[in-house]
Amino acid sequence: MPQASTAKGRATQARIVEGAAEVLRERGVAFATLDDIRVRTGTSKSQLFHYFPGGKDELLLAVAQFEADRVLDDQQPHLGCLDSWESWYRWRDVVVERYELQGDQCPLGSLFLQVGRSAPGARAIVVELMRHWQESLAHGIRALRDRGLVSPSLDVDETAAALLAGVQGGVSIMMSTGNSTHLKAALDAGIAYLRATAASTA
């Protein structure tokens, strides 16, 4: 999505994206129309296409980026300061609460089904989201290591990748079953593994 050239334009563009995200969450990607979004955001058709010349698909990609950013924002400030066991458990609770509130409808997943994961920019959004999320977890594990709370020989990047895979698997099962048991188990087992590395070293 090309950025508007002025502060006012960027504010309008952001307002359209945020309003579109609300409409898509309420009505579903398949049923929401550009007219619905225009009414919600108070924009004209010409204004909408001025900021999103590619039409609905371009707007959907912009909303997908907004939703991807929201995944990480919703985990803050805990995801950014995983330097104690208390902070890890607080993060764990925030993740579970976020996905329990979301229920079995994933706005980001629905958007990608609509525009296609192979669409230009779509895969990049997912890759960047997962990269940033994994890096944040790795940063937290390193903070624990620096404080002597996990084994100094622990493979940080591999452990962060495994933890993220567990979270994603738990979320996927939760969306299929409506039950957060597997998500909780993945988080609890991941944190327990981190704690166990310090015990085994000692």
Side-chain angles (χ1 to χ4, degrees):
M1 177 185 72
Q3 288 293 317
S5 59
T6 66
K8 182 178 179 181
R10 289 190 292 273
T12 300
Q13 198 171 39
R15 177 170 55 80
I16 293 171
V17 171
E18 189 168 352
E22 292 174 358
V23 172
L24 295 173
R25 278 175 171 263
E26 292 170 7
R27 304 192 180 185
V29 177
F31 299 103
T33 67
L34 287 179
D35 285 339
D36 295 329
I37 294 169
R38 286 197 307 102
V39 170
R40 176 64 62 89
T41 58
T43 53
S44 65
K45 187 174 182 178
S46 60
Q47 193 175 24
L48 197 64
F49 279 92
H50 171 74
Y51 290 108
F52 303 95
K56 188 175 182 180
D57 282 351
E58 185 176 348
L59 177 56
L60 290 180
L61 277 176
V63 176
Q65 183 64 68
F66 174 83
E67 292 288 1
D69 294 341
R70 190 170 175 175
V71 169
L72 298 179
D73 290 344
D74 286 350
Q75 298 176 50
Q76 300 298 351
H78 313 291
L79 183 61
C81 56
L82 296 172
D83 57 357
S84 68
W85 296 123
E86 292 77 11
S87 63
W88 275 85
Y89 286 116
R90 285 195 296 269
W91 168 74
R92 177 260 189 211
D93 292 343
V94 165
V95 171
V96 171
E97 180 181 20
R98 181 197 192 277
Y99 284 104
E100 285 181 338
L101 288 173
Q102 177 178 284
D104 60 2
Q105 298 297 320
C106 175
L108 192 56
S110 298
L111 285 160
F112 286 133
L113 284 175
Q114 186 73 15
V115 301
R117 291 186 182 276
S118 61
R123 186 176 294 274
I125 291 172
V126 177
V127 169
E128 182 63 14
L129 168 61
M130 296 304 162
R131 183 191 67 79
H132 192 176
W133 199 344
Q134 183 175 324
E135 285 183 353
S136 296
L137 293 173
H139 182 76
I141 296 171
R142 289 190 183 93
L144 294 178
R145 189 179 62 185
D146 292 344
R147 298 184 64 186
L149 297 175
V150 299
S151 169
S153 62
L154 182 67
D155 188 321
V156 172
D157 293 324
E158 182 179 82
T159 304
L163 184 55
L164 178 56
V167 172
Q168 288 297 296
V171 169
S172 179
I173 294 173
M174 180 179 171
M175 288 179 60
S176 300
T177 65
N179 191 318
S180 61
T181 299
H182 297 84
L183 175 59
K184 293 174 181 176
L187 287 162
D188 290 342
I191 296 173
Y193 170 75
L194 287 174
R195 301 195 73 157
T197 65
S200 63
T201 301

